[in-house]
Amino acid sequence: MAEFHPLEFDRLPEDEMQSRARDFYQSIKNRRTVRDFSSDPIPDGVIEDCLLAAGTAPNGANLQPWHFSVVRDQGIKRKIREAAEEEEREFYGGRAPDDWLDVLGHLGTDAEKPFLETAPALIAIFQKSKTLDRRGVETKTYYPKESVGIAAGFLIASLHNAGLVTLTHTPSPMRFLNEILGRPATEKPFLLLVVGYPAAGCEVPEITKKPLAEIADFH
Ligand code: IYR
């Protein structure tokens, strides 16, 4: 039988609710995806706390169907870069349909991924199709894609909050990550997060976010 305990919840005054909502938006709107990284190391413990935050994400049946592989080793980063660039050369050199390349154009991306070696850390996020339940019995996972997507969002927001920048990289296919990082076939690479600081003089493309009226309606 499930055991329950009282929820810890402090209800905030309404003016504080509004100022917290605004403050969070003001902070998260400054998050930018960066493609030009410095090699400065990340202080010990910061990534660990951000991963703990990611691991609190709501998820199917609390099976927590994610695994995070943190890579700081230069040799492993190089292997990942080589494998990712091989896939990307095929993508940019023919596999990508013209309409996809067309919408990507303004971001200035190409098959060269030096940041996979320069950045101090890579976090490979895996989606688990199977895991152990509370009793230690192997079970299939439920809503793993939604669950891992939410955890990845928490992680990106936590890293931004901690003063780091990220790049959400999705080489496709990226099964090479299983081999390089020794993860089982029941774990599917979900995305590769590049983490660190922007290089001096780093530039980002001029982009805008849709206004509220275009992304939401209220009934
Ligand atoms: N995976 C490729 C292409 C790419 C695709 C999308 I959608 C982007 O927003 C950015 C890049 C690459 O990483 O270059």
Side-chain angles (χ1 to χ4, degrees):
M1 260 306 283
E3 286 190 26
F4 284 77
H5 67 264
L7 173 70
E8 269 178 49
F9 180 85
D10 292 322
R11 189 158 169 169
L12 298 173
E14 289 188 1
D15 57 344
E16 195 174 342
M17 289 170 67
Q18 182 60 70
S19 65
R20 287 205 196 191
R22 189 43 51 167
D23 287 353
F24 185 73
Y25 167 58
Q26 292 297 346
S27 164
I28 203 74
K29 82 179 172 57
N30 292 329
R31 186 206 60 79
R32 289 298 309 259
T33 289
V34 155
R35 293 188 169 76
D36 194 7
F37 283 80
S38 109
S39 60
D40 291 350
I42 299 164
D44 284 346
V46 173
I47 287 186
E48 287 80 350
D49 276 343
C50 293
L51 290 172
L52 285 169
T56 68
N59 66 91
N62 196 34
L63 290 168
Q64 304 162 61
W66 41 64
H67 182 85
F68 304 95
S69 285
V70 181
V71 181
R72 297 181 159 110
D73 181 90
Q74 210 51 42
I76 302 177
K77 283 196 272 169
R78 169 163 313 167
K79 277 192 192 161
I80 291 175
R81 175 185 180 179
E82 282 165 5
E85 286 184 337
E86 204 174 306
E87 295 301 345
E88 297 295 2
R89 276 193 291 272
E90 285 190 28
F91 175 84
Y92 287 97
R95 184 151 42 77
D98 285 346
D99 51 356
W100 191 346
L101 291 177
D102 197 45
V103 291
L104 261 186
H106 72 294
L107 298 178
T109 60
D110 59 29
E112 292 292 307
K113 306 296 178 192
F115 49 75
L116 293 174
E117 273 189 83
T118 321
L122 309 178
I123 306 178
I125 307 179
F126 293 89
Q127 170 186 326
K128 294 166 75 112
S129 60
K130 290 194 170 156
T131 193
L132 301 182
D133 70 11
R134 296 178 292 134
R135 295 157 300 187
V137 177
E138 190 173 71
T139 173
K140 111 186 235 305
T141 59
Y142 298 89
Y143 298 101
K145 196 171 191 176
E146 291 81 353
S147 303
V148 179
I150 297 168
F154 276 30
L155 180 57
I156 292 167
S158 301
L159 291 164
H160 170 75
N161 180 58
L164 292 164
V165 296
T166 57
L167 166 60
T168 319
H169 185 44
T170 51
S172 170
M174 49 179 164
R175 275 281 173 188
F176 62 82
L177 288 172
N178 289 73
E179 196 184 318
I180 296 175
L181 299 170
R183 302 309 305 172
T186 49
E187 294 184 2
K188 188 177 172 202
F190 183 74
L191 56 83
L192 182 58
L193 213 56
V194 185
V195 188
Y197 304 92
C202 172
E203 293 192 337
V204 290
E206 196 73 49
I207 58 167
T208 56
K209 297 294 179 185
K210 293 178 180 174
L212 185 60
E214 250 181 74
I215 63 169
D217 60 8
F218 299 84
H219 299 271

